[in-house]
Short mmCIF file of all heavy atoms in Angstrom, two decimals:
data_model
loop_
_atom_site.label_atom_id
_atom_site.label_comp_id
_atom_site.label_asym_id
_atom_site.label_seq_id
_atom_site.Cartn_x
_atom_site.Cartn_y
_atom_site.Cartn_z
N GLU L 1287 -23.47 20.60 -87.39
CA GLU L 1287 -22.33 20.07 -88.05
C GLU L 1287 -22.42 20.46 -89.54
O GLU L 1287 -21.41 20.81 -90.20
CB GLU L 1287 -22.24 18.51 -87.92
CG GLU L 1287 -21.87 18.08 -86.60
CD GLU L 1287 -21.89 16.58 -86.46
OE1 GLU L 1287 -22.19 15.93 -87.46
OE2 GLU L 1287 -21.40 16.06 -85.44
N THR L 1288 -23.57 20.49 -90.15
CA THR L 1288 -23.78 20.88 -91.52
C THR L 1288 -23.41 22.32 -91.72
O THR L 1288 -22.72 22.78 -92.65
CB THR L 1288 -25.18 20.61 -92.01
OG1 THR L 1288 -25.51 19.13 -91.86
CG2 THR L 1288 -25.40 21.03 -93.44
N MET L 1289 -23.96 23.10 -90.82
CA MET L 1289 -23.62 24.60 -90.81
C MET L 1289 -22.20 24.91 -90.62
O MET L 1289 -21.56 25.77 -91.29
CB MET L 1289 -24.47 25.29 -89.71
CG MET L 1289 -25.94 25.35 -89.98
SD MET L 1289 -26.83 26.12 -88.62
CE MET L 1289 -26.12 27.68 -88.70
N ASN L 1290 -21.62 24.13 -89.70
CA ASN L 1290 -20.16 24.27 -89.47
C ASN L 1290 -19.27 23.99 -90.71
O ASN L 1290 -18.27 24.58 -91.07
CB ASN L 1290 -19.69 23.37 -88.29
CG ASN L 1290 -18.27 23.61 -87.85
OD1 ASN L 1290 -17.85 24.80 -87.77
ND2 ASN L 1290 -17.55 22.56 -87.57
N GLU L 1291 -19.72 22.94 -91.51
CA GLU L 1291 -18.97 22.58 -92.70
C GLU L 1291 -19.10 23.79 -93.76
O GLU L 1291 -18.13 24.04 -94.52
CB GLU L 1291 -19.60 21.32 -93.35
CG GLU L 1291 -19.25 20.01 -92.54
CD GLU L 1291 -17.80 19.71 -92.55
OE1 GLU L 1291 -17.12 20.14 -93.44
OE2 GLU L 1291 -17.40 19.09 -91.63
N GLU L 1292 -20.31 24.23 -93.81
CA GLU L 1292 -20.42 25.44 -94.74
C GLU L 1292 -19.66 26.70 -94.32
O GLU L 1292 -18.99 27.28 -95.22
CB GLU L 1292 -21.95 25.89 -94.84
CG GLU L 1292 -22.77 24.71 -95.49
CD GLU L 1292 -24.31 25.05 -95.32
OE1 GLU L 1292 -24.62 26.18 -94.74
OE2 GLU L 1292 -25.09 24.32 -95.87
N LEU L 1293 -19.60 26.88 -93.04
CA LEU L 1293 -18.78 28.08 -92.57
C LEU L 1293 -17.32 27.81 -92.60
O LEU L 1293 -16.52 28.80 -92.92
CB LEU L 1293 -19.17 28.42 -91.09
CG LEU L 1293 -20.68 28.98 -90.88
CD1 LEU L 1293 -20.91 29.03 -89.33
CD2 LEU L 1293 -20.73 30.34 -91.50
N ARG L 1294 -16.82 26.64 -92.49
CA ARG L 1294 -15.41 26.30 -92.45
C ARG L 1294 -14.83 26.59 -93.81
O ARG L 1294 -13.66 26.96 -93.99
CB ARG L 1294 -15.23 24.83 -92.05
CG ARG L 1294 -13.69 24.56 -91.83
CD ARG L 1294 -13.55 23.05 -91.47
NE ARG L 1294 -14.06 22.85 -90.12
CZ ARG L 1294 -15.09 22.02 -89.90
NH1 ARG L 1294 -15.72 21.39 -90.85
NH2 ARG L 1294 -15.49 21.90 -88.61
N SER L 1295 -15.64 26.32 -94.92
CA SER L 1295 -15.18 26.49 -96.28
C SER L 1295 -14.91 28.02 -96.60
O SER L 1295 -14.20 28.31 -97.47
CB SER L 1295 -16.18 25.97 -97.32
OG SER L 1295 -17.39 26.71 -97.24
N THR L 1296 -15.55 28.97 -95.82
CA THR L 1296 -15.36 30.40 -96.09
C THR L 1296 -14.44 31.15 -95.07
O THR L 1296 -14.14 32.23 -95.27
CB THR L 1296 -16.80 31.10 -95.97
OG1 THR L 1296 -17.28 30.85 -94.71
CG2 THR L 1296 -17.69 30.58 -97.05
N ASN L 1297 -14.09 30.50 -93.98
CA ASN L 1297 -13.18 31.04 -93.08
C ASN L 1297 -11.75 30.80 -93.44
O ASN L 1297 -11.44 29.68 -94.04
CB ASN L 1297 -13.57 30.42 -91.69
CG ASN L 1297 -14.78 30.88 -91.10
OD1 ASN L 1297 -15.33 32.02 -91.51
ND2 ASN L 1297 -15.38 30.14 -90.19
N ASP L 1298 -10.87 31.74 -92.99
CA ASP L 1298 -9.49 31.52 -93.28
C ASP L 1298 -8.89 30.74 -92.10
O ASP L 1298 -9.53 30.34 -91.18
CB ASP L 1298 -8.77 32.96 -93.50
CG ASP L 1298 -9.03 33.74 -92.22
OD1 ASP L 1298 -9.11 33.14 -91.14
OD2 ASP L 1298 -9.17 34.90 -92.40
N GLU L 1299 -7.54 30.42 -92.30
CA GLU L 1299 -6.92 29.51 -91.33
C GLU L 1299 -6.90 30.10 -89.94
O GLU L 1299 -7.06 29.29 -88.92
CB GLU L 1299 -5.48 29.30 -91.73
CG GLU L 1299 -5.35 28.48 -93.03
CD GLU L 1299 -3.90 28.25 -93.45
OE1 GLU L 1299 -2.99 28.81 -92.69
OE2 GLU L 1299 -3.67 27.62 -94.47
N LEU L 1300 -6.80 31.41 -89.84
CA LEU L 1300 -6.85 32.06 -88.44
C LEU L 1300 -8.12 31.78 -87.72
O LEU L 1300 -8.17 31.51 -86.57
CB LEU L 1300 -6.50 33.55 -88.58
CG LEU L 1300 -6.36 34.30 -87.27
CD1 LEU L 1300 -5.31 33.76 -86.37
CD2 LEU L 1300 -6.10 35.78 -87.54
N GLU L 1301 -9.28 32.05 -88.48
CA GLU L 1301 -10.52 31.92 -87.84
C GLU L 1301 -10.84 30.34 -87.52
O GLU L 1301 -11.33 30.13 -86.49
CB GLU L 1301 -11.63 32.35 -88.90
CG GLU L 1301 -11.70 33.82 -89.08
CD GLU L 1301 -12.64 34.26 -90.16
OE1 GLU L 1301 -13.07 33.30 -90.92
OE2 GLU L 1301 -12.97 35.39 -90.18
N VAL L 1302 -10.23 29.44 -88.31
CA VAL L 1302 -10.37 28.08 -88.01
C VAL L 1302 -9.63 27.73 -86.67
O VAL L 1302 -10.05 26.96 -85.82
CB VAL L 1302 -9.77 27.20 -89.21
CG1 VAL L 1302 -9.84 25.71 -88.72
CG2 VAL L 1302 -10.71 27.36 -90.38
N THR L 1303 -8.37 28.28 -86.61
CA THR L 1303 -7.60 28.10 -85.35
C THR L 1303 -8.30 28.66 -84.18
O THR L 1303 -8.34 28.06 -83.08
CB THR L 1303 -6.24 28.69 -85.58
OG1 THR L 1303 -5.58 28.14 -86.70
CG2 THR L 1303 -5.38 28.48 -84.31
N ASN L 1304 -8.88 29.89 -84.36
CA ASN L 1304 -9.61 30.56 -83.20
C ASN L 1304 -10.77 29.73 -82.77
O ASN L 1304 -11.11 29.58 -81.60
CB ASN L 1304 -10.00 31.97 -83.70
CG ASN L 1304 -10.52 32.84 -82.54
OD1 ASN L 1304 -10.01 32.74 -81.42
ND2 ASN L 1304 -11.68 33.46 -82.72
N ASP L 1305 -11.54 29.24 -83.80
CA ASP L 1305 -12.77 28.49 -83.48
C ASP L 1305 -12.35 27.10 -82.73
O ASP L 1305 -12.97 26.67 -81.76
CB ASP L 1305 -13.47 28.11 -84.69
CG ASP L 1305 -14.18 29.33 -85.37
OD1 ASP L 1305 -14.38 30.32 -84.51
OD2 ASP L 1305 -14.55 29.23 -86.52
N GLU L 1306 -11.27 26.56 -83.13
CA GLU L 1306 -10.81 25.38 -82.57
C GLU L 1306 -10.43 25.62 -81.05
O GLU L 1306 -10.73 24.75 -80.20
CB GLU L 1306 -9.62 24.75 -83.36
CG GLU L 1306 -9.14 23.41 -82.77
CD GLU L 1306 -10.06 22.32 -82.93
OE1 GLU L 1306 -11.09 22.49 -83.71
OE2 GLU L 1306 -9.93 21.30 -82.26
N MET L 1307 -9.66 26.78 -80.89
CA MET L 1307 -9.24 27.02 -79.47
C MET L 1307 -10.44 27.38 -78.65
O MET L 1307 -10.52 26.87 -77.46
CB MET L 1307 -8.37 28.24 -79.49
CG MET L 1307 -6.96 28.00 -80.10
SD MET L 1307 -5.82 29.45 -80.20
CE MET L 1307 -5.76 29.69 -78.44
N ARG L 1308 -11.45 28.03 -79.20
CA ARG L 1308 -12.70 28.29 -78.35
C ARG L 1308 -13.42 27.03 -78.03
O ARG L 1308 -13.98 26.93 -76.96
CB ARG L 1308 -13.53 29.24 -79.12
CG ARG L 1308 -14.75 29.75 -78.40
CD ARG L 1308 -15.67 30.67 -79.15
NE ARG L 1308 -14.92 31.87 -79.67
CZ ARG L 1308 -14.54 32.19 -80.89
NH1 ARG L 1308 -14.87 31.26 -81.82
NH2 ARG L 1308 -13.88 33.25 -81.22
N ARG L 1309 -13.49 26.19 -79.06
CA ARG L 1309 -14.23 24.90 -78.89
C ARG L 1309 -13.57 24.08 -77.75
O ARG L 1309 -14.20 23.59 -76.89
CB ARG L 1309 -14.24 24.10 -80.21
CG ARG L 1309 -15.13 22.82 -80.13
CD ARG L 1309 -15.12 22.10 -81.42
NE ARG L 1309 -13.78 21.66 -81.80
CZ ARG L 1309 -13.21 20.62 -81.33
NH1 ARG L 1309 -13.82 19.86 -80.51
NH2 ARG L 1309 -12.01 20.26 -81.71
N GLN L 1310 -12.28 24.04 -77.74
CA GLN L 1310 -11.58 23.30 -76.74
C GLN L 1310 -11.75 23.88 -75.36
O GLN L 1310 -11.90 23.18 -74.35
CB GLN L 1310 -9.96 23.29 -77.12
CG GLN L 1310 -9.74 22.40 -78.29
CD GLN L 1310 -8.23 22.44 -78.57
OE1 GLN L 1310 -7.43 23.14 -77.88
NE2 GLN L 1310 -7.78 21.72 -79.64
N SER L 1311 -11.67 25.22 -75.28
CA SER L 1311 -11.93 25.97 -74.02
C SER L 1311 -13.29 25.60 -73.45
O SER L 1311 -13.52 25.35 -72.27
CB SER L 1311 -11.78 27.39 -74.11
OG SER L 1311 -12.01 28.04 -73.00
#
Side-chain angles (χ1 to χ4, degrees):
E1287 288 179 355
T1288 302
M1289 294 175 61
N1290 189 42
E1291 290 293 336
E1292 295 174 354
L1293 291 173
R1294 188 179 293 115
S1295 63
T1296 59
N1297 289 336
D1298 55 34
E1299 294 180 357
L1300 183 58
E1301 290 175 345
V1302 171
T1303 303
N1304 187 45
D1305 290 341
E1306 182 66 16
M1307 292 179 63
R1308 185 183 299 110
R1309 186 179 62 82
Q1310 290 179 358
S1311 178

